[in-house]
Amino acid sequence: MYLEAEDEKILAGEYGETRRKMMEILVALGKVFGAEKMVPITSAQVAGASYKTIGEWGLEWIRSLDARVAVPTVLNPIGMSREGWREMGIDEDFAAKQLEVIDAYRRLGIKLECTCTPYYLNITRYGDHLAWSESSAVSYANSVIGARTNREGGPSALAAAIIGKTPYYGLHVWENRMPQVIIEVEGADALHPDQYGALGYIAGKEVGNRIPLFRGIRPNRDQLKALGAAMAATGAVALYHVEGITPESRVLSERGGDFSALETIAISVSDVQALYGGDPVDAVAIGCPHCSEDELDAIASLLKGKKVVKPLFVFAARGVMEANRAAVATIEKSGARVWADTCMVVSPAMERFDAIMVNSGKALAYVPNMCGARSRIGTLEECIAEAVSKT
Ligand code: F3S
């Protein structure tokens, strides 16, 4: 793999032991995947921030590093809200360790925004190369923004953040971003606006790790977010296209892309709708991936003047909550809580419930294993109705 003179110096240890180790990680990764060179990145998002997932060994590793990140870098959600962990019922020992993890990352110059929606923080644009970790964020960056990132592990994203570069392979390369399978959505007119997560839940199982091109749907950005997050959870989809909607789908057709030889999979909206309905639950969780400002508005307008009788948790990035304080205040007036930094899957706080209702295809897939609870999917309206109903 070709390295610039500065990179060679880093590899030789001229800029310290931590940078040398980080460059070693990137070079090893590049060699495994046949990268011909490194490419500069504009931002990084680092997974491995929850003490629930990294434990003591991970904490010690982060503490051992002695360098600062070279590009804007944020973290994936952690195991608790930094201010509200007592109210969330988080154990004192876990909270102390989680705060130590956060502090170790802060020393590296990482912004303490812990979110799976870093794209709401205005740190990326079309064509940027990134090193992001969280699967739904990777999917959104690649598909909805038209930026370029592989799905990085925590250590490789951190290495790229410190060096400011990543190996040029996989989805960084234009030729590797072509559709590999077509998805036709049958009966798309009947798809409820909140059912894109459930569509992704089914589509992910069908396509695995291939790059799908959807036809017959016209999702907005929040719907694309839900679709991509679910496909990354039930499959391993890191990039998808929607004909006439996502930025690269336009470029593909402008360049005369002919995909007629690809396999076509049909997904019926009646199969998507069959996922809905089920028994009452004992908690409701919204915000997987973390809510946008518009989604906070929608939740607030459904809760206005109502009181929840079951725990209702909403998750959003700190910056998004600050930008829409009015919606947060309305939601919390109902008795629901809006948390930053964490989510229904990575926080141990949700493990006390037996059944959780969500409006997300990704959470539908992850809650049973990660929280030990039954999961049920509903539209946003159905989720709010469940939280305010006594049955
Ligand atoms: Fe985000 Fe947690 Fe869902 S990290 S995508 S809210 S599982």
Side-chain angles (χ1 to χ4, degrees):
M1 182 166 71
Y2 168 76
L3 291 181
E4 290 181 0
E6 275 300 290
D7 298 339
E8 295 283 9
K9 285 186 190 170
I10 295 171
L11 200 54
E14 288 189 31
Y15 295 96
E17 183 58 11
T18 294
R19 282 195 179 78
R20 187 190 66 72
K21 274 195 221 154
M22 298 297 111
M23 185 58 96
E24 244 177 30
I25 291 174
L26 298 177
V27 169
L29 201 59
K31 283 187 178 161
V32 166
F33 288 101
E36 63 197 40
K37 61 179 182 178
M38 304 276 268
V39 64
I41 58 166
T42 56
S43 67
Q45 187 235 12
V46 177
S50 172
Y51 187 71
K52 180 176 167 178
T53 50
I54 64 167
E56 199 57 26
W57 183 89
L59 172 58
E60 283 312 312
W61 185 72
I62 301 158
R63 273 196 186 132
S64 73
L65 303 176
D66 180 20
R68 304 272 296 176
V69 293
V71 294
T73 303
V74 296
L75 295 174
N76 216 26
I78 57 173
M80 62 189 205
S81 154
R82 273 182 277 153
E83 293 82 23
W85 59 268
R86 282 194 181 80
E87 192 192 332
M88 293 183 88
I90 300 288
D91 171 74
E92 297 257 347
D93 292 342
F94 179 89
K97 287 295 182 186
Q98 183 63 79
L99 292 171
E100 284 180 41
V101 172
I102 290 295
D103 194 55
Y105 277 122
R106 185 187 52 74
R107 281 192 314 102
L108 302 178
I110 293 180
K111 186 172 158 59
L112 295 191
E113 177 71 87
C114 310
T115 181
C116 51
T117 56
Y119 36 87
Y120 293 146
L121 308 176
N122 298 322
I123 56 172
T124 185
R125 286 180 305 183
Y126 181 86
D128 281 354
H129 291 275
L130 318 171
W132 287 13
S133 294
E134 202 280 325
S135 66
S136 72
V138 165
S139 168
Y140 194 96
N142 279 317
S143 315
V144 184
I145 297 175
R148 298 182 186 195
T149 178
N150 291 315
R151 183 178 175 187
E152 300 292 345
S156 65
L158 187 54
I162 288 172
I163 300 298
K165 293 181 181 179
T166 194
Y168 184 71
Y169 73 93
L171 294 177
H172 290 283
V173 181
W174 168 254
E175 288 71 26
N176 296 339
R177 298 173 67 87
M178 299 297 128
Q180 296 166 326
V181 58
I182 308 284
I183 297 186
E184 298 274 6
V185 182
E186 292 178 344
D189 290 348
L191 190 68
H192 186 284
D194 281 356
Q195 290 180 331
Y196 280 90
L199 172 62
Y201 181 92
I202 293 177
K205 290 183 178 180
E206 294 283 345
V207 302
N209 64 359
R210 290 178 288 174
I211 301 172
L213 169 65
F214 281 85
R215 288 187 169 143
I217 53 172
R218 299 200 62 76
N220 64 26
R221 288 202 152 204
D222 284 333
Q223 292 160 342
L224 289 166
K225 175 175 76 169
L227 176 71
M231 284 195 291
T234 57
V237 177
L239 164 65
Y240 65 93
H241 306 287
V242 180
E243 198 168 68
I245 299 284
T246 52
E248 288 186 359
S249 85
R250 295 195 190 104
V251 179
L252 295 175
S253 53
E254 275 163 22
R255 295 194 182 182
D258 174 8
F259 306 113
S260 53
L262 294 181
E263 177 195 356
T264 297
I265 295 172
I267 296 180
S268 154
V269 166
S270 56
D271 289 342
V272 174
Q273 291 171 339
L275 293 172
Y276 288 74
D279 296 331
V281 298
D282 45 12
V284 177
I286 297 169
C288 172
H290 281 174
C291 289
S292 65
E293 287 187 52
D294 286 350
E295 288 171 322
L296 290 179
D297 278 336
I299 299 164
S301 80
L302 287 167
L303 280 172
K304 198 166 185 181
K306 296 187 180 134
K307 289 281 173 206
V308 298
V309 293
K310 288 177 189 167
L312 168 58
F313 303 101
V314 177
F315 299 95
R318 189 167 286 264
V320 171
M321 286 172 64
E322 280 163 12
N324 200 349
R325 285 173 202 260
V328 171
T330 305
I331 294 168
E332 297 210 312
K333 207 168 166 195
S334 74
R337 299 294 283 125
V338 186
W339 299 116
D341 307 325
T342 187
C343 82
M344 70 279 278
V345 167
V346 297
S347 172
M350 302 300 288
E351 291 168 7
R352 64 184 190 271
F353 300 110
D354 293 326
I356 302 171
M357 188 161 174
V358 296
N359 65 336
S360 152
K362 173 167 178 173
L364 178 70
Y366 277 18
V367 159
N369 277 343
M370 295 293 287
C371 307
R374 180 166 58 77
S375 62
R376 173 185 158 192
I377 192 166
T379 63
L380 180 61
E381 231 168 282
E382 289 166 345
C383 286
I384 301 298
E386 181 76 17
V388 300
S389 108
K390 292 204 170 63
T391 55

